[in-house]
Amino acid sequence: MKPLLTVFLISLSTIVLAQQTAIDSKIIDQETLYPVPYATVQIKNFLTGTVANENGDFSFMADQADSIKISCIGYESLILAVSDIADSISLQPKAIILSDVYVFDKMPNAKNIVRKAFKSIKKNFISDPFTMKTFYRHYCKDDSIYGRLIEAAVDVYKPKGYKKTSDFEELNRDKRKLHQLRRSFDQSALAQFNHVPIAYDRVLSYDLAAYQDMDDEEHFLPIFGSQSNLKRKMKEYSFKLKGISNYDGHEVYVIDYTSKKWEETLSTGIKLNVTHKGQLHIRSDNYAFIKSETFLEVQNFQTIKTTVTYQESNGQYYLAHAVYEQQSHGRKTIPPHNAHIEILVNQVKLGKDKAFKDEPMTEKVLAETRYDPQFWKNYTVIVENPLEKRIREHLERNETLTEQYVEKAEKEGKSWEMLANDQKALEDIINNPNGKIYYIDFWASWCAPCISEFIKSNKTVEKYKLEGVEFLYVSIDAGSDNWSIMKERYGLSNEKHLRIGNEEEIIKKYEATSIPHYIMVLPNGSLLKDAPRPSSIEFVELIEREIRKWNKSN
């Protein structure tokens, strides 16, 4: 290989704001001049930084006195004073040397390397409590049309650090708090199915240094997005040393892994062929994980790709960047749906934080978070790439994203106030039926069996309404748009309605985890928690019996 020289284009692109400087630059390959995607950019000696986007661009704030360290697998790391940062920064490549041409005293065993990497997590990663400041970006598209954009600033407190890998339950024990949120209106086809607004855990769970599946089933790997199972089920995978790369001046093993093909059977009885493979980058001297890539394919269903990279400071590693890409096959009424989710860790604060308030990102929390444009001016985000600029164009067909951020926040806030009032109204009815019989139907706009039951039971419902029975339709829709549409479509606009949302706590309270679900409140306050469907013979027998009792008592 010919000698490589590093060339710097010195044309300062900074805006000085007091002691802080806004840095905007692009990282390129010194030989090819192509962008270097996802390089980590860190303030030297501090746990603060960002990551370049897939087009090599990055932007963040730093003090003029700081030095910036830029690192990427396959390139020599570079340290620059802030004053020397140019519009374009060139990195010197270090080629991967294939294992079949690399001379080893003893050929390393790829599986043993991976096993040692898992055993060395406590030594290599931050094992004390720490807090991560993160930036979350999430966008979706149907076919080639982008439907929504969500960005959030979230703090994550890991009270146990990286002491050991743990399962998904442990993931939920990490504390987190939403600081800011900005989201467009949802124009995707999945909007009608209560499209999950924040899928933070889905991407975070692929941090294989922190989370490993602990299930005992032979082949089990959750196919809807979950953590790795490499540590526990190595016998199910083949490992191959592909070659030796370089990261931050250290040799790095490049290891490919592939699972046996297997069938995953869903609760519906459908069998799906599953393929799982990926690549690991592990330092050869201390066995620290540097990067993890996953490819999970469920035949004729969906494909998931993930990339997780780690950053080092003072000999300890932590999560730097995680990307989750999901491509799902379409169905008769729904086009193919793709989702992109990524998390940037832009700052780490070491030490215990006893005052950290754990606040799960529920619909209520999201609805109560107002859009603050000033906050986003100073928060470190991943710079938009050309693709994401196209997304902006798709979403701004009717109004700007800024206008959507404001309107969406206001609308969700009002919607939540209505929802909270409806929750209280439902509780009041159940606790005090005022001598009436209430038949309560829990449904959702996306629930086909619920809607089918409306049609089947229409005449029955009308009959017993005339006899004084109160029919109440309680929606678990998170949003009000589709709920309103479906009420009109199926002739329910004149019925009594409440909407309580889909938060786990409230759903469990009324045992409505599976819908349609029906309960009956009797005049004396007694509660039948699992009443029959209104189209069934059992319903007619029950309601006739209760009406006779009611009439006698009156």
Side-chain angles (χ1 to χ4, degrees), residues 48-150:
T48 303
T50 187
V51 65
N53 66 17
E54 63 182 27
N55 208 42
D57 299 310
F58 71 92
S59 175
F60 80 121
M61 303 293 292
D63 288 340
Q64 287 182 294
D66 288 333
S67 293
I68 305 300
K69 180 179 179 181
I70 302 170
S71 306
C72 188
I73 290 175
Y75 292 88
E76 290 189 359
S77 294
L78 185 64
I79 297 176
L80 292 173
V82 167
S83 59
D84 291 333
I85 293 178
D87 290 330
S88 178
I89 301 171
S90 301
L91 290 186
Q92 180 172 307
K94 297 278 285 187
I96 291 179
I97 304 173
L98 300 180
S99 60
D100 53 0
V101 298
Y102 196 90
V103 178
F104 294 99
D105 292 333
K106 183 179 179 182
M107 189 67 180
N109 181 288
K111 183 175 287 189
N112 285 341
I113 293 170
V114 177
R115 187 175 286 113
K116 287 180 180 178
F118 279 115
K119 289 182 177 178
S120 302
I121 287 173
K122 185 177 179 180
K123 175 186 70 176
N124 290 321
F125 285 75
I126 300 173
S127 59
D128 293 322
F130 68 94
T131 303
M132 302 186 296
K133 284 190 173 296
T134 73
F135 167 69
Y136 171 92
R137 175 175 286 154
H138 182 170
Y139 51 81
C140 308
K141 70 175 180 177
D142 300 322
D143 282 335
S144 59
I145 304 299
Y146 291 92
R148 68 170 181 173
L149 171 67
I150 302 167

Side-chain angles (χ1 to χ4, degrees), residues 270-284:
I270 298 175
K271 291 185 177 181
L272 301 171
N273 293 318
V274 181
T275 301
H276 181 213
K277 59 184 178 180
Q279 189 174 89
L280 302 171
H281 293 74
I282 300 170
R283 266 180 59 172
S284 63

Side-chain angles (χ1 to χ4, degrees), residues 11 31 41 45 98 133 228 290 319 332-333 342 345 350 416 530 547:
S11 59
E31 282 193 328
V41 182
N45 300 324
L98 300 180
K133 284 190 173 296
S228 161
I290 305 298
L319 177 69
K332 288 183 179 180
T333 58
E342 61 183 315
V345 178
L350 301 176
W416 176 256
D530 192 12
I547 289 174

Side-chain angles (χ1 to χ4, degrees), residues 352-368:
K352 292 183 179 180
D353 188 350
K354 294 181 179 179
F356 193 100
K357 183 181 179 182
D358 186 24
E359 192 175 69
M361 287 176 279
T362 63
E363 291 283 355
K364 179 178 184 294
V365 169
L366 300 184
E368 291 177 343

